[in-house]
Structure formats: structure tokens, C-alpha cells
């Protein structure tokens, strides 16, 4: 289905920089708006835009580009000490205040966005009515272990190519990038050809990989950045917001990486999308919108 056009777009001043955002639907709707946190870090909002169709259910949907990517301020000269979880938490709080929705909203975070959403939720923000953690690990240690396992299931020549180029530090080589695509088609997005909005996000990461390379690393499965030891497992009991977990049967965020959310968040349910990998919002779009929409509807009065 077509991605709906935004009702408004703008720039929210954030310190000396700007956060670009778009709103689909009407923020004055009786239903609490949904704020979508994209992945990466540094992947841009584009690949999550089908979630904007929740506006068809009379709910405003807010997308934004996190600092360092897309239409927000780029800071390629900044180093690892600048790109922190706390920076992106502050940016989210600033956007909520700018839009005037801090007293009542939902958050949906996809991949890294779900990690950020969990960090937001453990702080127990007053206005958070519902939380959707989509295709996200509770710990990067678990993520790295599971990616290693998934890599061992790749064809032997593909895995050998990946290991050789990682050891040599030549992860930009065309052979490495071709091998990366084999993994991605299994565990990131199983739709071929790759949807246009996913290509758009990929292009923006390629254009400025500062955040992605600094915090994550060169690929989804070779995590050598500052997030490599991140975890929220020990704080999940602090989450008070009702929570929906989303993952795909073929997801790089395997059940083992998601399980701590299910084990430790007090009010939680988990939806596994059988025909999806890392992007069920694209791979099983209609079912995804139905499941997420119903969950949010049930939490609006909370």
C-alpha cells in the first residue's frame, strides 16, 4: 500500500542543532500519538514509513531522523564520546516537548530504536502510555552471539569471505558487501527486490555513516562500535508502560535476544511474525498494522 503523505513537517531546535520530523495524521486526535524511533543507529526514518499508515486508524504518527542522519543535523567531525545513548534520549525528550505531546504518547522503536525506546521506558516518563519494542535485542552480547550463530548457517564461501575481510579490515570491499547481502536477504528483509524505502535509508547511511560506524560497526552482524557491550537487561523491571514485543521468525533479533524483555518487563506480550525477518512492518504489513494498532487502541485510556 502507498505510504501516506505527512500532514506537517518541520525542524525541532535541539541544543545548537535541529531534529527533522514529520507528522502523519492529526496530533489533536483523541488517540495518543505514536512516535517511531528508527534503527541503525544512523539508518534514517525512511524504511519505517509504512508504519505511518496507522494514521488511517485516526492516530497521529510521528517520524523523525535522529541526529547525524537524514534531514537532521549532521556532525561527521564528532567522535565516539559524543554519540551516546544519553544524547539520543535527550533528543527524544526535546522532540516530545517541541510537539507538545509529552503528557500522552506511545513509542515504537525498531531495532536500535527499540533499544532506545527501552532506555526511555526504564526512566518511567510520565506520559508514556504504551511501548512497542520491535526487532530489538535486550543485550548486544546476545545479539553478537546470535549473529555469529546465524553466520555459521550461511554458505561456507559466504562466511569465509566475511571473516577474511573483517580480519583484513576491508569491509568496504565489493566481495564483502555481496556476502553481506546474502545475510541481509535471510535475516533483515526477505523481500526481493529490496523495497524503495529501505534503499532510501541505506543510501542515507552510506552518505554519512558516522553514527552507524561509531556506535554499531560496518554491518549488522559485525558489531565493533561503542554499543557492543550495551545492555538494558538489569533495568527492565523498571518499565511500567504496557509493552508489545515484535519479532520475525527469521529475524536477526532472534528469540534469544528478545527473551529478556519478555522475562523482566511486568506488563508484556510478544507477537512473532512467522513470514518475516527484521522488518515485519514491510514483510507482513497488513497484519503488523492490525496487531500494533489494536495494542495501541487498548492502551489509550491507560
Amino acid at each position: 500500500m502507498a505510504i501516506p503523505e505527512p500532514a506537517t513537517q518541520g525542524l525541532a531546535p535541539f541544543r545548537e542543532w535541529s531534529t527533522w520530523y514529520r507528522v502523519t495524521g492529526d496530533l489533536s486526535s483523541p488517540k495518543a500519538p505514536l512516535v517511531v524511533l528508527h534503527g541503525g543507529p544512523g539508518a534514517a526514518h525512511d524504511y519505517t514509513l509504512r508504519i505511518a499508515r496507522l494514521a488511517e486508524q485516526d492516530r497521529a504518527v510521528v517520524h523523525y531522523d535522529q541526529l547525524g542522519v537524514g534531514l537532521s543535523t549532521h556532525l561527521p567531525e564528532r567522535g565516539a564520546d559524543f554519540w551516546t545513548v544519553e544524547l539520543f534520549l535527550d533528543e527524544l525528550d526535546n522532540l516530545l516537548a517541541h510537539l507538545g505531546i509529552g503528557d500522552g504518547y506511545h513509542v515504537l522503536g525498531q531495532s536500535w530504536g527499540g533499544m532506545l525506546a527501552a532506555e526511555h521506558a526504564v526512566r518511567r516518563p510520565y506520559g508514556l502510555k504504551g511501548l512497542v519494542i520491535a526487532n530489538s535485542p535486550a543485550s548486544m552480547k546476545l545479539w553478537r552471539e546470535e549473529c555469529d550463530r546465524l553466520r555459521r548457517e550461511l554458505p561456507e564461501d559466504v562466511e569465509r569471505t566475511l571473516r577474511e575481510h573483517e580480519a583484513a579490515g576491508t569491509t568496504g570491499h565489493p566481495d564483502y558487501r555481496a556476502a553481506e547481502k546474502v545475510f541481509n536477504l535471510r535475516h533483515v528483509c526477505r523481500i526481493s527486490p529490496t523495497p524503495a524505502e529501505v534503499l532510501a535509508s541505506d543510501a542515507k547511511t552510506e552518505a554519512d555513516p558516522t553514527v552507524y560506524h561509531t556506535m554499531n560497526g560496518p554491518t549488522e552482524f559485525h558489531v565493533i562500535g561503542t554499543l557492543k557491550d550495551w545492555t538494558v537487561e538489569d533495568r527492565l523491571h523498571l518499565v511500567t508502560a504496557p509493552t508489545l514485543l515484535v519479532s520475525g521468525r527469521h529475524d536477526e533479533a532472534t528469540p534469544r535476544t528478545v527473551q529478556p524483555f519478555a522475562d523482566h518487563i511486568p506488563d508484556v506480550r510478544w507477537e512473532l511474525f512467522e513470514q518475516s525477518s527484521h522488518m515485519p512492518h514491510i514483510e507482513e504489513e497488513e497484519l503488523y498494522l492490525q496487531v500494533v494498532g489494536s495494542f495501541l487502541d487498548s492502551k489509550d485510556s491507560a
Side-chain angles (χ1 to χ4, degrees), residues 156-173:
E156 184 178 347
D157 62 323
V158 172
E159 171 61 357
R160 182 172 60 251
T161 297
L162 294 173
R163 297 290 181 193
E164 288 176 353
H165 282 286
E166 287 164 2
T170 53
T171 54
H173 192 281

Side-chain angles (χ1 to χ4, degrees), residues 18 21 30 35 49 71 77 85 92 107 122 135 180 191 194 206-207 218 231 234 237 242 258 260 272 279-280 294 302:
S18 296
Y21 66 89
V35 181
L49 275 174
L71 296 169
E77 74 284 359
V85 172
L92 173 56
V107 165
V122 300
N135 320 101
E180 176 189 5
I191 295 176
T194 303
E206 291 261 348
T231 183
D234 59 341
H237 64 282
V258 179
L272 183 66
M279 298 187 185
S294 294

Side-chain angles (χ1 to χ4, degrees), residues 47-63:
Y47 79 98
T48 64
L49 275 174
R50 297 196 196 192
I51 299 169
R53 288 190 56 215
L54 286 168
E56 297 167 4
Q57 302 175 20
D58 298 320
R59 181 183 307 282
V61 181
V62 179
H63 282 83

